[in-house]
Amino acid sequence: MKRVSLALGLGLGLAAAGTLVLPPGWQHWQLLAAAEDPVALADLRLAQVLSAQRLDAEIDSAIAARDAELTESLIALAGTQDIPVSFEQKRRLQVLKDGALGQAVTDFGHGFVAGDRESGAAFAGALVGDVSGYGDLRDLAVEGRKWLGGEGADPTVLAIAAAGLAISAATWISFGGTLPARNGLSVVKAASKTKLLSPALTAHLTRVAAGAIDRPALNASLAAASRFDIAAARVAAGGIVKPAAMARFSTLGQDSGAVYARTGQRGLRQVLSLADDAGDIGKAAKLSAAKGTTTRAILKLLGRGALVLGALSLSAVGWMLALIGYAVAIAMLAQRFGWWLGRRLFPRRATA
């Protein structure tokens, strides 16, 4: 009888401990399992941080920053979670969108001439400049002369401008087939010029670009550019970036273009400020493909945590170890119970 009481007490104790150990332990195991899946990782982490109060504050902040796209993304996320958005916030968003129309034409022209990409319209103008070859030739000439003269050029801008010229040529030949990659590289180049890349991503792209430049091809392209021979400059630019590095920049452009297509240039800038390397941009492309218009809201709420798991805290490791210990204890108790039940159901017969 004592053994039965002891087993019953242990069972009740384990059941009580399970209410404490199981929820956090299982939650951390799920996060660990989702480490390479940005969509699942974002869903799990959103469940931890999302609330009506947090979304309300983020919407007000986005409107104050005059970021209509982020505001719309946050409102879309609220809709997927059945969180109400006030009429006043929707009205302020509409006012913000109406007021942006008048500035668009001016921004477009400034973007084309100077390469400014601060607003959506300015980026559109800069993109026309890049696709036509003007923008990349301008950046190639400025940074290329610095590079050849040892004047501290930005190798990332130089390499992207050269890769962009080659992709622009392919864009014309394929009637726009490579335009997404072209768009993506334009935003990455602009973010590099304005120091908006994360420090880790800046260091990563600098390492890739530094060993990617072919000096003779750069000289030939600059000579053609000085004669305003865009066609010859494009041909020469195709050899400035060495083939292995060109493939990496093309992939970077494709992933960045996929993010840009779904989140706009501000959304891609958001990703570039969080990413540590080109692989993180690929994860952001997967996230944006699954989450669409809510991607910017998710990135705003979770930051880099939407893309990578990061290092597990001591607390998280402790909960997972506790979960393992709990599972072992349950298994041992079940084994003992099975033995006891077996002896009761199938008692051994006494031998003569």
Side-chain angles (χ1 to χ4, degrees), residues 31 37-48 81 287 291 298 302 306:
L31 287 171
D37 184 348
V39 178
L41 189 63
D43 285 338
L44 289 169
R45 284 187 158 155
L46 268 180
Q48 296 174 343
Q81 304 296 317
L287 181 66
K291 298 300 182 181
I298 292 169
L302 300 180

Side-chain angles (χ1 to χ4, degrees), residues 334-350:
Q335 182 188 52
R336 302 287 285 188
F337 177 74
W339 287 342
W340 175 83
L341 187 62
R343 285 195 298 269
R344 292 294 180 274
L345 294 177
F346 307 103
R348 292 180 181 176
R349 293 182 180 179

Side-chain angles (χ1 to χ4, degrees), residues 204-222:
H204 169 76
L205 291 180
T206 299
R207 286 194 299 272
V208 173
I213 307 300
D214 184 288
R215 293 178 72 91
L218 176 58
N219 271 317
S221 184
L222 288 178

Side-chain angles (χ1 to χ4, degrees), residues 74-93:
L74 288 161
I75 290 174
L77 181 61
T80 66
Q81 304 296 317
D82 295 323
I83 296 175
V85 177
S86 71
F87 172 80
E88 176 60 17
Q89 286 174 323
K90 292 179 180 177
R91 185 195 66 79
R92 290 168 63 199
L93 170 61

Side-chain angles (χ1 to χ4, degrees), residues 50 58 145 171 187 201 206 238 251 266 283 326 335 345:
L50 193 60
E58 293 290 357
R145 289 193 178 92
T171 299
V187 182
L201 184 57
T206 299
T251 300
R266 284 189 174 183
K283 291 178 181 178
Y326 182 79
Q335 182 188 52
L345 294 177

Side-chain angles (χ1 to χ4, degrees), residues 66 68 94-105 107 121:
R66 305 187 63 77
Q94 190 57 50
V95 170
L96 183 60
K97 290 166 69 176
D98 291 343
L101 268 175
Q103 188 66 33
V105 175
D107 285 354

